[in-house]
């Protein structure tokens, strides 16, 4: 009986020892790979708040967007007589010229090095546009640009939500307005393939779709009550300016990006 009890005690002790060794490896909140650890990785202090790797990535991506979309827009102005295409190209030139000034101010103040050439992928998109002609050119041009804007749009929102740096926060706000404006005018060309964009956006996704059940043919759901404040509430602000489908990008001019750097 003693031998059995002794063996059992040895087994219990071994299991307890293994558990004690394994538990610390997986229990620390600041272990590598966790959200807090990822947020801290590569973060540096600045006078405007912590600057993370994600913040710097957005700064570089805003700069890169202008480096390829400006020549793409200029090409469209030179090659297409379509009013909608010319309007979209005009918005891209104005918007990215403005954003480029802003991102250079932010990069200067935060000490972030900016690229001076588009990426290899972006140059490839420019080459695709150059090789296309006629109606095919309009489709290639509009869809490459619409897809690129659609992919950076959620990234801007994520940085705007989580950044603790006031300069990056303002840049994200400015970029959000500009990108939404460009998405809007690109879609007005009538050349955007929404089916292809939808399929591309879910490529590789494995999660089941969520949301309410699909509508039933012939069944009209009851009208939802309005969501509004109750009681005697006085307000003075207005809804977002502009007609539906338009974006207001009016904002003060940025500082001179070529001026001497501000102290950090």
């Amino acid at each position: 009986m003693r031998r059995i009890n002794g063996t059992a005690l040895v087994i219990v002790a071994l299991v307890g020892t293994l558990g004690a060794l394994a538990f610390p490896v997986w229990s620390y909140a600041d272990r590598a790979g966790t959200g807090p650890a990822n947020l801290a990785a590569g973060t540096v202090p600045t006078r405007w708040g912590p600057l993370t790797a994600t913040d710097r990535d957005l700064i570089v991506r805003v700069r890169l967007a202008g480096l390829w979309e400006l020549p793409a827009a200029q090409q469209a102005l030179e090659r297409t007589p379509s009013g909608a295409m010319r309007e979209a190209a005009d918005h891209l030139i104005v918007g990215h010229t403005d954003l480029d000034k802003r991102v250079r101010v932010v990069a200067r103040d935060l000490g972030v090095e900016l690229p001076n050439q588009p990426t290899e992928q972006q140059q490839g998109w420019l080459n695709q546009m150059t090789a296309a002609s006629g109606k095919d050119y309009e489709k290639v041009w509009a869809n490459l640009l619409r897809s690129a804007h659609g992919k950076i749009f959620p990234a801007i929102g994520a940085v705007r939500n989580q950044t603790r740096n006031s300069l990056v926060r303002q840049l994200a706000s400015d970029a959000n307005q500009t990108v939404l404006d460009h998405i809007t005018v690109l879609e007005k060309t009538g050349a955007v393939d929404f089916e292809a964009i939808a399929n591309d956006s879910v490529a590789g996704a494995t999660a089941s779709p969520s949301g309410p059940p699909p509508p039933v043919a012939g069944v009209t759901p009851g009208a939802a009550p309005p969501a509004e404040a109750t009681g005697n509430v006085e307000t003075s602000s207005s809804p977002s300016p502009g007609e539906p489908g338009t974006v207001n990008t009016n904002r003060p001019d940025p500082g001179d990006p070529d001026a001497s750097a501000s102290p950090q």
Side-chain angles (χ1 to χ4, degrees), residues 64-76 79 92 116-133 137 140-141 144-145 148:
L64 284 169
L67 291 178
W68 84 275
E69 291 176 29
L70 277 167
Q74 184 171 347
Q75 183 188 82
R79 293 180 59 174
L92 263 65
N116 293 319
Q117 296 292 333
T119 66
E120 184 177 346
Q121 182 184 48
Q122 291 167 341
Q123 187 58 55
W125 293 336
L126 287 170
N127 293 340
Q128 288 183 53
M129 294 176 181
T130 301
S133 60
Y137 173 76
V140 170
W141 188 88
L144 284 173
L145 285 163

Side-chain angles (χ1 to χ4, degrees), residues 65-213:
L67 291 178
W68 84 275
E69 291 176 29
L70 277 167
Q74 184 171 347
Q75 183 188 82
L77 283 181
E78 296 168 351
R79 293 180 59 174
T80 62
S82 167
M85 286 281 291
R86 294 185 68 83
E87 179 188 16
D90 183 279
H91 276 239
L92 263 65
I93 289 174
V94 172
H96 282 294
T97 299
D98 174 77
L99 268 187
D100 190 69
K101 292 178 183 177
R102 296 175 189 279
V103 77
R104 286 188 294 133
V105 170
V106 171
R108 176 202 66 193
D109 289 346
L110 294 176
V112 176
E113 184 177 358
L114 294 176
N116 293 319
Q117 296 292 333
T119 66
E120 184 177 346
Q121 182 184 48
Q122 291 167 341
Q123 187 58 55
W125 293 336
L126 287 170
N127 293 340
Q128 288 183 53
M129 294 176 181
T130 301
S133 60
K135 286 295 182 182
D136 185 50
Y137 173 76
E138 295 189 8
K139 292 179 180 179
V140 170
W141 188 88
N143 282 281
L144 284 173
L145 285 163
R146 171 60 178 80
S147 178
H149 281 83
K151 288 176 180 176
I152 198 175
F153 199 38
I156 293 169
V159 173
R160 178 62 179 80
N161 173 58
Q162 71 187 34
T163 186
R164 293 164 290 166
N165 188 285
S166 60
L167 290 185
V168 175
R169 190 176 303 120
Q170 184 58 57
L171 177 65
S173 295
D174 293 338
N176 182 73
Q177 287 286 307
T178 299
V179 170
L180 181 55
D181 173 66
H182 293 176
I183 286 174
T184 303
V185 293
L186 286 165
E187 291 173 352
K188 285 174 65 177
T189 64
V192 173
D193 185 346
F194 292 102
E195 190 73 22
I197 288 175
N199 289 331
D200 181 57
S201 67
V202 298
T206 57
S208 299
S210 60

Side-chain angles (χ1 to χ4, degrees), residues 235-252:
T235 58
S236 59
S237 60
S238 302
S240 299
E243 295 296 321
T246 64
V247 180
N248 182 2
T249 56
N250 291 331
R251 47 186 176 249

